[in-house]
Amino acid sequence: MKIIILHHDLEPEEIKIKEILEQKGFLAELKDIRDVDIEEIEGNSVVLNRVYASVANRDFSSIEKTLDLLKKLEAKGIPCINSYFTSLYDYNKFEAYKKLKENGILTPETILVDSEQEIENLSEKAIEAFGLPLIIKRNTGGRAKDVWKANSVEELKKDLINKFENAKKENYAGGFIIQEFAKTTKGHDCRLTIFDSKPISSLGRTLVSLDSTTPWLASASKGSQLIEFEASQEVIDLAIKASQVIGAKFNSLDIMFTEKGPSIIENNPTPNYSNISSLEGVERLKGFVSQIVLELNKFPVEK
């Protein structure tokens, strides 16, 4: 039996994950989702899905292929870490919002805009429901691609029109979401990592601004700095519940501190470890792999 590491563009962390797994005695193989065929994975395998949500920024069809492949593999009894359903909530922010909302978990109110034809009506609806400003995001995407804060109805509609036009050029078909602006009570958010209903790391990320206003966005790719921050039990309990709701054994959650309390902004079952060139980054990645190994040991994986 082997461990298949699904990936898109081969990033340093996937290479390092394979290396660490092999050091621990596992047989691991990297497979590009664009080239993989289900017959190649049949048999005694465990699949580790490392196809990032941010792939949709460049290759939305690979997101669709990943979900289809995971669903078929699980139907054949092949274990997948992350599962089809967990990956669906990773790749589809609106579905994740609905799931969290159904379970009473605080998260920004969200409306899905599927097409340009819906912009006029849903923009008006969002402003009426949530007020201004509003956050616009790709429904499927990551690393703060196409995230913007609209401060007027004109800006909201114009930005959505431009985003849909660019989406056509990039063959992106996942739609966009209009989201309630979560007013922060701190100068940072919390990136809390949960494995098997237990916290394994907690960091803060400083807020940055994309529009020369008060800082409002936490994103390492846009300049946020990592800071020491110990999550409270309230935040930990919220993250555990949110992870259980989406079926995530492993989840790095972005949590904003608001006047209503801690709020789940994003689930990240496939977190990025782009800073593995640093000792701290390597240690964080080793911690991730150690938790994955605990899960792999539940399966009869040959060493």
Side-chain angles (χ1 to χ4, degrees), residues 36-55:
V36 72
D37 190 273
I38 192 168
E39 282 73 25
E40 298 175 38
I41 305 179
E42 285 184 327
N44 293 329
S45 300
V46 174
V47 172
L48 174 59
N49 176 25
R50 288 290 299 167
V51 180
Y52 290 125
S54 60
V55 168

Side-chain angles (χ1 to χ4, degrees), residues 80-118:
C80 298
I81 315 170
N82 303 303
S83 70
Y84 163 76
F85 283 108
T86 298
S87 297
L88 173 66
Y89 296 127
D90 187 12
Y91 300 156
N92 190 313
K93 298 183 196 315
F94 188 64
E95 289 299 322
Y97 155 75
K98 290 193 296 182
K99 194 68 174 176
L100 295 178
K101 184 79 173 175
E102 287 170 7
N103 287 272
I105 296 171
L106 185 62
T107 191
E109 295 292 343
T110 302
I111 289 176
L112 174 65
V113 185
D114 250 338
S115 68
E116 290 177 271
Q117 290 70 36
E118 296 178 317

Side-chain angles (χ1 to χ4, degrees), residues 40-268:
E40 298 175 38
I41 305 179
E42 285 184 327
N44 293 329
S45 300
V46 174
V47 172
L48 174 59
N49 176 25
R50 288 290 299 167
V51 180
Y52 290 125
S54 60
V55 168
N57 301 339
R58 311 183 303 279
D59 183 8
F60 181 71
S61 63
S62 286
I63 290 293
E64 297 179 303
K65 181 176 180 181
T66 301
L67 291 174
D68 182 64
L69 179 64
L70 293 175
K71 196 171 188 177
K72 289 176 178 175
L73 289 171
E74 290 177 347
K76 291 178 174 289
I78 296 174
C80 298
I81 315 170
N82 303 303
S83 70
Y84 163 76
F85 283 108
T86 298
S87 297
L88 173 66
Y89 296 127
D90 187 12
Y91 300 156
N92 190 313
K93 298 183 196 315
F94 188 64
E95 289 299 322
Y97 155 75
K98 290 193 296 182
K99 194 68 174 176
L100 295 178
K101 184 79 173 175
E102 287 170 7
N103 287 272
I105 296 171
L106 185 62
T107 191
E109 295 292 343
T110 302
I111 289 176
L112 174 65
V113 185
D114 250 338
S115 68
E116 290 177 271
Q117 290 70 36
E118 296 178 317
I119 291 176
E120 182 75 26
N121 179 49
L122 293 181
S123 293
E124 299 285 353
K125 181 179 176 181
I127 290 174
E128 182 180 346
F130 312 146
L132 287 166
L134 289 167
I135 301 300
I136 309 166
K137 298 178 181 179
R138 286 196 176 199
N139 184 41
T140 304
R143 299 180 185 176
K145 167 74 171 179
D146 278 336
V147 176
W148 192 251
K149 182 174 70 170
N151 296 293
S152 69
V153 63
E154 294 78 16
E155 186 179 350
L156 177 61
K157 293 176 182 178
K158 181 179 178 180
D159 192 61
L160 280 169
I161 290 169
N162 290 337
K163 281 178 168 45
F164 272 103
E165 286 300 313
N166 289 331
K168 290 176 188 175
K169 299 172 187 175
E170 298 173 10
N171 295 314
Y172 168 71
F176 294 86
I177 57 172
I178 304 173
Q179 201 168 66
E180 170 192 20
F181 179 65
K183 294 180 181 178
T184 181
T185 58
K186 296 182 184 290
H188 61 85
D189 77 347
C190 176
R191 169 60 74 94
L192 181 61
T193 298
I194 300 294
F195 178 78
D196 204 16
S197 298
K198 298 180 183 66
I200 61 172
S201 72
S202 175
L203 293 167
R205 297 183 306 171
T206 59
L207 302 182
V208 297
S209 174
L210 302 181
D211 54 2
S212 301
T213 63
T214 302
W216 55 274
L217 174 70
S219 169
S221 63
K222 297 297 183 182
S224 292
Q225 300 298 308
L226 298 180
I227 60 174
E228 291 185 8
F229 178 74
E230 186 174 346
S232 67
Q233 192 59 50
E234 178 189 19
V235 172
I236 292 170
D237 290 344
L238 179 70
I240 290 172
K241 183 177 180 181
S243 300
Q244 290 172 341
V245 159
I246 67 166
K249 280 283 186 180
F250 189 93
N251 194 14
S252 285
L253 303 97
D254 299 338
I255 302 170
M256 191 72 77
F257 302 98
T258 74
E259 294 175 353
K260 298 177 184 177
S263 177
I264 303 295
I265 303 298
E266 300 275 351
N267 290 283
N268 299 282

Side-chain angles (χ1 to χ4, degrees), residues 24-36:
K24 292 179 179 293
F26 289 92
L27 177 63
E29 184 175 349
L30 294 162
K31 284 193 177 291
D32 190 321
I33 187 61
R34 292 164 289 189
D35 302 325
V36 72

